[in-house]
């Protein structure tokens, strides 16, 4: 009957209760929407990191991470054989990478020169899709280079221009090669575009004197769920090499995902703390205007525990009634926007690309976040009920009855 | 043989003892026997309500003790006192004080629910009591839809629901018109006569005083007179 009393008490002041329920609903919706926006951005960042930057797995010489020197190379044939027999592998790209300098008549810029097999690189990273000016590698032409848009803008480069790439070969001798720009590419990560140029691995191997060898293998899996098994298989098959997943290669991306949990929790907590004051105010009014009734309840034998429970129950009902409405609104908004996406190109294109985020965000509200929001709402309601309930408990029945 | 239900020993209540002391009740000795129909009367400020609150365990005396059926309620802890009230004392208030969100029958049932009575027993007794107070046809009506007299009848039914040792009624007719007051008193007198229920009223109302079999007059917190009336409730 306490639940019945608590529920009916809510509707003694319909407008007041509806105002709080609406506030809670809007608060939950806002919190859920912000969380879904955050996760949408995070998911997009991870997708871009995996599909356009680092792939799911990379294989290097164990010392390569400390010093990106071409001397830390390895034979590609055995690695290629291992990759071909690893379950879950969708595509892979074997690369030779070297730190060097790009120069033309107007100046020079430090770059990472990536020697790639054009077809494999396209299958692994879809590099061809990012060409915005000029074309991809042409089969019959040697010494072609793809340059990122940011670098091209900075150095006023265009398809057909000739540039010189300079780096140290495997004997630590300075060596140079002239390349003609085949195309300008643009990914979602402008800083990476500025730093990376792509040439054919065969062309680079000639200059470095590293035929049949490479410094990096990037592996794209059919699905993220294949990652643990593929990691285990490759680690087992490639004992002399370092096999790392995208979290290890791109810790900043992994950090984005882990920080999402904290930041979304803080945002929801801030929204609900603000709401808690409204709930406390409403419940306090509800308790104080029922002083005589509470006095009567205490007089006839309602224990303090039951009285406390009644106020807590009322607060929970008031708060939790708004919760499903808020989630309903959030679900509607998400259902629509997760397909359509939110295009932020007009207001924050450069900012988002500068940090490697996509400009179109597809909100995503994970189930565990819904549970977390419900828990926070529940705890907020409990905390908000304490002061009004305490006020009720402090009443003295003899005085309260004559209020 | 008469049985003492309430034994009040030298009870005093002083408000604001450290500033301006007010002696609301001053050295009261009183015995109430089972089946009494007693009125506490006196001018405003004479201590009627304070004494009633002390008997009901709603207020604690500054001095003295109140023994109800061999239990010194002034020595009980707050939680045990609540339990004692729940099982031994019925209350009827001047302003009815029904729970407005519950129906008449739910208001009566509520006390039994607090006592932990089984559902079947609650339902049976609610019907009995609503019939006893003449409101069988108002079971599902909320207090706001009842007249003052009807609300006070529900309050009496609620007070009886816990099967108390006695009922304390604080100015029960103060908010009622003449006819409702008479009907209420008739009903209470009948319960007193037929079921032996002990009633103690605090009242200014001459109609109540006329019907009481014992009238205790308080003046300045002291018992000025204690007379048994020849009138029969």
């Amino acid at each position: 009957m306490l639940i019945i009393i608590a529920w009916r008490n809510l509707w003694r002041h319909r407008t007041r209760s509806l105002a709080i329920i609406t506030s809670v609903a809007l608060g939950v919706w806002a919190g859920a929407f912000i969380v879904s926006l955050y996760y949408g951005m995070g998911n997009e960042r991870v997708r871009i990191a995996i599909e356009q930057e680092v792939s799911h797995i990379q294989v290097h010489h164990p010392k390569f991470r400390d010093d990106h020197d071409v001397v830390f190379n390895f034979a590609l044939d055995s690695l290629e054989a291992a990759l071909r027999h690893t379950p879950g592998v969708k595509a892979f790209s074997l690369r030779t990478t070297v730190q060097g300098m790009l120069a033309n008549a107007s100046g020079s810029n430090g770059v990472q020169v990536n020697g790639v097999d054009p077809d494999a690189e396209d299958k692994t990273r879809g590099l061809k899709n990012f060409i915005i000016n000029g074309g991809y590698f042409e089969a019959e032409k040697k010494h072609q280079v793809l340059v990122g848009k940011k670098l091209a803008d900075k150095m006023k480069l265009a398809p057909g221009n000739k540039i010189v790439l300079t780096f140290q070969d495997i004997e630590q001798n300075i060596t140079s090669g002239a390349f003609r720009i085949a195309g300008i590419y643009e990914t979602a990560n402008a800083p990476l575009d500025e730093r990376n140029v792509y040439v054919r691995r065969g062309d680079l191997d000639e200059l470095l004197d590293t035929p049949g060898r490479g410094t990096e293998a990037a592996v794209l899996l059919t699905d993220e769920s294949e990652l643990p098994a593929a990691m285990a298989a490759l680690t087992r098959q490639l004992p002399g090499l370092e096999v790392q997943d995208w979290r290890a290669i791109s810790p900043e991306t992994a950090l984005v995902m882990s920080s999402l949990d904290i930041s979304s929790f803080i945002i929801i907590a801030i929204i609900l703390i603000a709401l808690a004051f409204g709930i406390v105010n409403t419940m306090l009014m509800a308790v104080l205007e029922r002083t005589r009734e509470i006095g009567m309840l205490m007089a006839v034998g309602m224990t303090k525990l039951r009285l406390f429970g009644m106020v807590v129950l009322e607060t929970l009902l008031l708060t939790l009634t708004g919760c499903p409405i808020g989630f309903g609104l959030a679900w509607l908004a998400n259902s629509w926007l997760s397909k359509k996406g939110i295009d932020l190109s007009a207001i924050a294109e450069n900012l988002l690309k500068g940090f490697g985020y996509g400009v179109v965000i597809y909100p995503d509200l994970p189930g565990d976040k819904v549970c977390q929001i419900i828990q926070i709402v529940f705890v907020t309601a409990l905390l908000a009920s304490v002061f009004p309930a305490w006020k009720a408990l402090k009443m003295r029945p003899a005085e309260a009855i004559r209020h | 043989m008469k049985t003492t239900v309430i034994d009040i020993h030298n009870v005093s209540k002083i408000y604001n003892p450290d500033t301006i002391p007010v002696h609301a009740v001053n050295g009261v000795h009183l015995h109430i026997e089972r089946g009494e129909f007693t009125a506490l009367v006196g001018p405003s400020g004479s201590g009627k309500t304070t004494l009633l609150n002390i008997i009901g365990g709603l207020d604690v005396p500054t001095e003295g003790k109140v023994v109800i059926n061999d239990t010194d309620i002034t020595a009980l802890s707050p939680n045990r006192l609540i339990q004692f009230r729940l099982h031994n004392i019925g209350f009827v208030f001047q302003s009815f004080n029904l729970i407005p969100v519950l129906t008449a029958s739910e208001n009566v049932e509520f006390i039994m629910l607090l006592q932990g009575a089984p559902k079947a027993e609650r339902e049976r007794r609610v019907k009995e009591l609503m019939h006893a107070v003449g409101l069988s046809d108002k079971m599902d009506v909320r207090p706001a839809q009842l007249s003052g007299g009807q609300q006070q009848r529900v309050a009496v039914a609620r007070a009886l629901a816990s099967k108390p040792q006695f009922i304390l009624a604080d100015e029960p007719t103060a908010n009622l018109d003449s006819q409702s007051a008479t009907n209420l008193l008739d009903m209470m007198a009948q319960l007193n006569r037929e079921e032996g229920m002990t009633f103690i009223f605090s009242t200014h109302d001459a109609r109540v005083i006329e019907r009481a079999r014992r009238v205790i007059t308080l003046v300045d917190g002291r018992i000025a007179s204690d007379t048994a009336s020849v009138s029969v409730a």
Side-chain angles (χ1 to χ4, degrees):
Chain A
M1 192 174 277
L2 273 187
I3 293 177
I4 294 172
I5 294 175
W7 177 252
R8 289 181 188 169
N9 274 336
L10 282 190
W11 305 108
R12 281 163 94 157
H13 294 277
R14 193 176 293 268
T15 310
R16 191 171 69 194
S17 294
L18 280 174
I20 286 294
I21 288 168
T22 307
S23 305
V24 172
L26 290 177
V28 167
W29 171 73
F33 185 70
I34 288 171
V35 169
S36 66
L37 211 58
Y38 266 42
Y39 274 83
M41 286 178 76
N43 291 344
E44 191 64 2
R45 173 71 200 110
V46 170
R47 187 189 66 77
I48 288 168
I50 291 172
E51 292 182 3
Q52 300 178 19
E53 296 167 16
V54 297
S55 304
H56 284 106
I57 297 172
Q58 286 193 2
V59 181
H60 298 103
H61 187 284
K63 290 185 178 172
F64 187 80
R65 274 184 88 188
D66 299 329
D67 183 3
H68 286 210
D69 196 313
V70 73
V71 297
F72 300 121
N73 59 56
F74 48 83
L76 293 177
D77 50 356
S78 55
L79 175 64
E80 188 171 357
L83 289 171
R84 288 197 188 286
H85 293 99
T86 302
V89 172
K90 184 181 179 185
F92 58 86
S93 176
L94 305 175
R95 301 170 184 152
T96 303
T97 60
V98 63
Q99 306 304 312
M101 185 78 78
L102 180 150
N104 69 351
S106 63
S108 61
N109 201 79
V111 290
Q112 174 169 298
V113 183
N114 298 279
V116 299
D117 173 68
D119 285 343
E121 190 68 14
D122 186 44
K123 282 175 187 163
T124 309
R125 292 188 44 208
L127 188 56
K128 198 191 283 184
N129 298 330
F130 300 120
I131 301 293
I132 56 166
N133 193 4
Y136 200 53
F137 294 105
E138 292 176 39
E140 65 278 11
K141 289 184 181 172
K142 290 192 73 179
H143 287 242
Q144 288 184 306
V145 62
L146 301 179
V147 179
K149 180 178 181 294
K150 192 162 185 189
L151 181 62
D153 292 344
K154 187 177 172 185
M155 296 192 65
K156 298 181 176 54
L157 302 174
N161 290 170
K162 214 171 194 180
I163 53 135
V164 174
L165 294 173
T166 306
F167 35 78
Q168 286 183 314
D169 67 12
I170 199 161
E171 302 294 337
Q172 305 293 304
N173 298 316
I174 301 292
T175 183
S176 296
F179 288 81
R180 194 171 293 281
I181 296 173
I184 310 291
Y185 71 90
E186 183 184 22
T187 69
N189 195 330
L192 281 183
D193 291 356
E194 186 182 4
R195 214 164 54 237
N196 284 277
V197 298
Y198 294 87
V199 299
R200 275 204 178 80
R201 197 173 74 237
D203 295 343
L204 191 59
D205 284 346
E206 282 178 17
L207 293 166
L208 292 171
D209 194 19
T210 55
R213 302 187 73 78
T215 57
E216 181 173 287
V219 184
L220 184 70
L221 302 176
T222 50
D223 190 80
E224 171 83 11
S225 60
E226 303 279 359
L227 188 59
M231 282 289 292
L234 287 173
T235 305
R236 194 173 56 249
Q237 291 178 72
L238 306 168
L241 297 175
E242 187 174 44
V243 181
Q244 295 172 293
D245 66 6
W246 63 268
R247 290 180 183 83
I249 299 158
S250 180
E252 69 280 4
T253 305
L255 185 67
V256 165
M257 292 310 283
S258 59
S259 66
L260 282 177
D261 283 334
I262 300 167
S263 48
S264 59
F265 178 84
I266 290 170
I267 286 172
I268 296 165
I270 289 171
I271 291 172
L272 289 174
I273 284 170
L275 275 177
F277 285 98
I279 299 167
V280 169
N281 185 44
T282 299
M283 285 311 299
L284 202 56
M285 275 198 284
V287 164
L288 293 179
E289 71 194 11
R290 272 160 39 206
T291 298
R292 193 191 290 172
E293 189 179 316
I294 289 169
M296 177 277 294
L297 290 172
M298 292 165 98
V300 299
M302 189 181 228
T303 58
K304 293 196 168 191
L305 188 66
R306 276 201 165 113
L307 186 60
F308 189 88
M310 189 181 77
V311 178
V312 170
L313 208 55
E314 252 180 79
T315 316
L316 283 176
L317 287 173
L318 182 68
T319 311
L320 296 179
T321 303
C323 208
I325 301 169
F327 278 119
L329 290 173
W331 180 80
L332 284 175
N334 266 25
S335 305
W336 183 52
L337 291 171
S338 62
K339 292 189 186 80
K340 187 176 180 288
I342 304 169
D343 190 348
L344 299 177
S345 58
I347 53 172
E349 183 171 6
N350 289 336
L351 181 72
L352 288 167
K353 283 191 172 177
F355 287 97
Y357 286 89
V359 292
V360 179
I361 296 167
Y362 299 91
D364 175 38
L365 187 60
D368 63 324
K369 292 296 123 190
V370 173
C371 294
Q372 191 186 48
I373 293 172
I374 292 171
Q375 285 168 5
I376 297 174
V377 170
F378 189 80
V379 171
T380 304
L382 276 183
L383 292 177
S385 69
V386 170
F387 184 60
W390 178 75
K391 273 286 194 190
L393 292 188
K394 294 291 284 180
M395 289 177 188
R396 294 154 64 98
E399 292 165 13
I401 288 165
R402 294 197 155 260
H403 184 75
Chain B
M1 183 183 145
K2 287 185 176 179
T3 313
T4 301
V5 183
I6 303 166
D7 206 351
I8 300 169
H9 293 278
N10 193 30
V11 160
S12 295
K13 177 70 184 180
I14 305 170
Y15 290 111
N16 310 321
D18 301 325
T19 52
I20 306 165
V22 176
H23 291 261
V25 176
N26 206 343
V28 169
H29 289 274
L30 196 60
H31 302 280
I32 307 283
E33 310 291 341
R34 186 173 304 284
E36 281 195 18
F37 202 71
T38 299
L40 287 175
V41 302
S44 291
S46 60
K48 304 185 296 290
T49 298
T50 304
L51 184 58
L52 210 66
N53 284 341
I54 289 171
I55 297 170
L58 300 178
D59 212 343
V60 183
T62 312
E63 201 179 318
K65 63 180 181 178
V66 177
V67 178
I68 296 172
N69 274 354
D70 299 328
T71 302
D72 179 1
I73 66 163
T74 48
L76 293 177
S77 68
N79 282 337
R80 292 195 64 183
L81 188 56
I82 290 172
Q83 288 299 322
F84 187 87
R85 284 201 301 265
L86 176 61
H87 292 280
N88 294 279
I89 307 172
F91 291 91
V92 176
F93 305 100
Q94 180 179 337
S95 307
F96 325 134
N97 285 1
L98 298 173
I99 301 171
V101 295
L102 297 183
T103 62
S105 60
E106 285 170 342
N107 264 284
V108 178
E109 186 186 0
F110 181 67
I111 299 295
M112 290 183 279
L113 203 78
L114 292 178
Q115 288 182 316
K119 189 172 172 29
E121 186 190 327
R122 293 198 312 261
E123 286 176 350
R124 181 186 56 76
R125 190 149 171 77
V126 164
K127 279 182 190 162
E128 274 177 20
L129 290 167
M130 290 299 282
H131 177 73
V133 298
L135 291 172
S136 294
D137 57 336
K138 304 286 183 187
M139 299 268 282
D140 298 322
V141 176
R142 288 202 185 179
Q145 295 161 293
L146 295 171
S147 69
Q150 288 171 328
Q151 286 190 56
Q152 201 60 302
R153 282 163 174 266
V154 175
V156 172
R158 178 181 67 185
L160 289 165
S162 64
K163 297 181 180 170
Q165 300 289 327
F166 56 89
I167 288 178
L168 297 174
D170 185 14
E171 308 268 9
T173 55
N175 290 338
L176 300 183
D177 59 65
S178 298
Q179 189 57 50
S180 298
T182 304
N183 291 343
L184 182 76
L185 287 169
D186 287 346
M187 186 196 76
M188 287 174 158
Q190 189 182 353
L191 287 166
N192 171 256
R193 225 174 22 245
E194 294 176 2
E195 298 188 20
M197 177 55 63
T198 310
F199 281 89
I200 303 158
F201 306 92
S202 76
T203 187
H204 281 109
D205 192 336
R207 291 165 300 191
V208 181
I209 299 167
E210 276 173 21
R211 305 288 289 269
R213 288 204 297 271
R214 182 181 177 189
V215 178
I216 298 164
T217 308
L218 288 171
V219 177
D220 295 333
R222 294 175 188 276
I223 295 176
S225 67
D226 184 351
T227 54
S229 168
V230 289
S231 72
V232 178

